Amino acid sequence: MPSIREFQVTFDCAEPERVARFWCEVLGYVVSPPKGFATWDAFDRSRPPEDRGSWFACSDPSGAGPRLFFQRVPEGKVVKNRQHLDVRVGTGLVGEERLAALEAECARLVALGAVRVRLLADDNDSCIVMQDIEGNEFCLD
């Protein structure tokens, strides 16, 4: 069996478009409407009223990263994620230089609505645990 080279990351959330647009800003992704539609608005208008706003997606404009898909679910987030994204902003950096890069990105994301949870650091390595605009954990790494 051949190995799988493409995958999509799916988020359960209350407000798919809002959360998708947040992650577009975090990752430099772009909104990617469903095939056959020029925009998500056009797609939504084609659906029954009760299904409008149920889904949204964004993608890496370079094609290198996975597509992110956001789907509305009725229940809210209750406990810690069992998986999370690591946003790699400090790759190759160590010590104070790494920490400065993480702190700068943390400040940018807090301005977008993210929440800083805690800094995990030792002498050589560090990451910042954060939450997106619906409380889903991710790390600045």
Side-chain angles (χ1 to χ4, degrees):
M1 178 172 204
S3 63
I4 296 171
R5 303 250 183 249
E6 268 188 53
F7 66 96
Q8 169 176 282
V9 177
T10 300
F11 290 74
D12 290 349
C13 54
E15 298 179 68
E17 181 175 356
R18 180 173 175 251
V19 179
R21 292 192 184 280
F22 169 83
W23 282 102
C24 282
E25 290 294 323
V26 171
L27 301 173
Y29 271 36
V30 295
V31 172
S32 50
K35 289 186 190 309
F37 294 90
T39 66
W40 273 96
D41 286 339
F43 171 71
D44 264 350
R45 285 192 303 273
S46 75
R47 302 183 45 73
E50 65 273 11
D51 290 339
R52 293 180 184 157
S54 295
W55 306 312
F56 212 81
C58 58
S59 58
D60 180 351
S62 75
R67 179 179 190 244
L68 303 182
F69 184 78
F70 303 85
Q71 61 187 7
R72 186 172 56 215
V73 296
E75 67 278 355
K77 182 179 176 309
V78 178
V79 297
K80 185 180 184 305
N81 305 7
R82 291 190 57 133
Q83 64 184 12
H84 65 267
L85 299 182
D86 284 342
V87 179
R88 310 299 308 267
V89 298
T91 303
L93 303 175
V94 295
E96 291 300 317
E97 187 178 18
R98 178 181 175 80
L99 190 54
L102 296 177
E103 293 291 355
E105 185 64 3
C106 178
R108 183 180 81 86
L109 300 184
V110 165
L112 295 173
V115 173
R116 179 191 180 116
V117 175
R118 70 183 167 280
L119 171 67
L120 301 173
D122 61 27
D123 291 336
N124 294 316
D125 201 11
S126 54
C127 76
I128 299 175
V129 179
M130 300 192 70
Q131 293 176 334
D132 74 9
I133 57 177
E134 283 200 359
N136 301 300
E137 293 88 5
F138 68 98
C139 290
L140 294 180
D141 180 19

